[in-house]
Amino acid sequence: MIITNFSKQTNEFKEPKVLKAKPHWQGQNLNDTVVKSKDTKMQDTAPDSLIINSLNRGRVAIFIDGLNLFHTALQLGIEIDYVKLLCRLTNGSRLLRAFFYTGVDINNEKQQGFLLWMRRNGYRVVAKELIVPAENLKKSNLNVEISVDMINLAPYYDTAVLVSGDGDLAYAVNAVSRMGVRVEVVSLQTTTSESLIDVADCFIDLDSIKAHIQKDSNLGYSYRTPSNSNL
């Protein structure tokens, strides 16, 4: 388990006779947890759940970059169990909302069935139709949607869990951090942008928790396609 905490300096502006309340997650000193420098990347021997539970995370909002997570799962050689993933990322905290961002092929009924299952199992799916550029490869980028949602909802949550390694999201992470939000980035360390790790309060390597979020080999989801749904 690799987890990195970075302490930040903040400027407190106080008006006369007004006490500024601290965000919920600041109720405990982050120095009580294992602190690692970016260069040394010390290996923590305690389970990640114990470290996360030692913090008062307050209300948690989860933002999952679906395409980024899909490619990470391929590199790890696992198939994600999204029920386990949601439980692991929430980890007993109060969940405000869990977003899953993905590009969609409207002609792919299997994918439509998967997204229907996701909506009925705790996720708010944000989808964008795949585009086919000149090189004839289907692409979809939802960084704008992720950034806007993170910033717009910042007043309503205390901890953001971003499942992505895309450095283009570093600016949004930095923006919500300045609003008093604690940001946890969860991704594969070897493919995560250093700029994203630098602005996060906490980094968790997906490789260290893959045993807890992978699908059991003897179990499978029963995804229903729109054509055989009872909707």
Side-chain angles (χ1 to χ4, degrees):
M1 149 75 211
I2 297 178
I3 181 168
T4 309
N5 288 327
F6 300 95
S7 50
K8 297 182 172 64
Q9 295 182 347
T10 58
N11 294 322
E12 295 282 337
F13 296 95
K14 298 182 180 179
E15 298 178 359
K17 299 182 180 180
V18 176
L19 177 63
K20 182 176 179 180
K22 294 191 297 183
H24 297 169
W25 61 267
Q26 291 182 349
Q28 179 168 339
N29 189 347
L30 293 181
N31 291 331
D32 293 341
T33 62
V34 177
V35 178
K36 303 174 186 176
S37 68
K38 174 182 163 186
D39 296 329
T40 57
K41 292 185 173 61
M42 296 170 59
Q43 193 74 21
D44 177 25
T45 57
D48 61 290
S49 58
L50 294 180
I51 295 175
I52 293 177
N53 282 338
S54 69
L55 299 172
N56 181 5
R57 302 167 80 207
R59 294 163 298 180
V60 173
I62 299 172
F63 305 89
I64 301 175
D65 183 341
L67 183 60
N68 192 279
L69 180 59
F70 172 76
H71 287 298
T72 297
L74 288 179
Q75 293 189 52
L76 291 174
I78 64 172
E79 189 172 357
I80 300 293
D81 184 318
Y82 286 93
V83 172
K84 290 182 179 180
L85 178 65
L86 184 59
C87 292
R88 193 73 181 181
L89 298 180
T90 305
N91 207 28
S93 300
R94 291 179 295 160
L95 178 64
L96 174 68
R97 190 157 291 168
F99 291 95
F100 183 81
Y101 301 85
T102 185
V104 295
D105 182 351
I106 59 176
N107 297 317
N108 188 332
E109 284 206 351
K110 183 178 179 180
Q111 185 187 43
Q112 295 298 318
F114 165 71
L115 296 180
L116 175 63
W117 183 93
M118 292 285 281
R119 292 185 180 99
R120 294 184 175 182
N121 286 271
Y123 291 92
R124 177 67 59 90
V125 176
V126 179
K128 178 188 288 185
E129 186 175 351
L130 292 169
I131 59 175
V132 183
E135 59 269 26
N136 202 31
L137 294 175
K138 293 183 178 180
K139 296 181 179 180
S140 182
N141 189 317
L142 284 94
N143 287 341
V144 172
E145 288 79 359
I146 296 174
S147 299
V148 170
D149 287 343
M150 287 185 69
I151 295 172
N152 283 345
L153 288 174
Y156 306 103
Y157 62 84
D158 305 292
T159 299
V161 181
L162 174 63
V163 183
S164 179
D166 194 335
D168 290 340
L169 294 169
Y171 190 86
V173 169
N174 200 36
V176 297
S177 294
R178 291 196 299 266
M179 299 171 70
V181 172
R182 180 174 184 272
V183 182
E184 301 170 2
V185 171
V186 183
S187 188
L188 187 62
Q189 185 177 20
T190 55
T191 60
T192 301
S193 169
E194 292 291 335
S195 61
L196 188 58
I197 297 177
D198 288 343
V199 294
D201 296 286
C202 170
F203 176 75
I204 299 174
D205 190 351
L206 268 175
D207 188 40
S208 68
I209 61 171
K210 66 179 181 181
H212 304 286
I213 62 172
Q214 64 182 348
K215 189 185 298 184
D216 296 330
S217 58
N218 59 335
L219 296 177
Y221 295 130
S222 178
Y223 298 137
R224 292 182 298 175
T225 62
S227 60
N228 62 17
S229 172
N230 291 325
L231 284 177

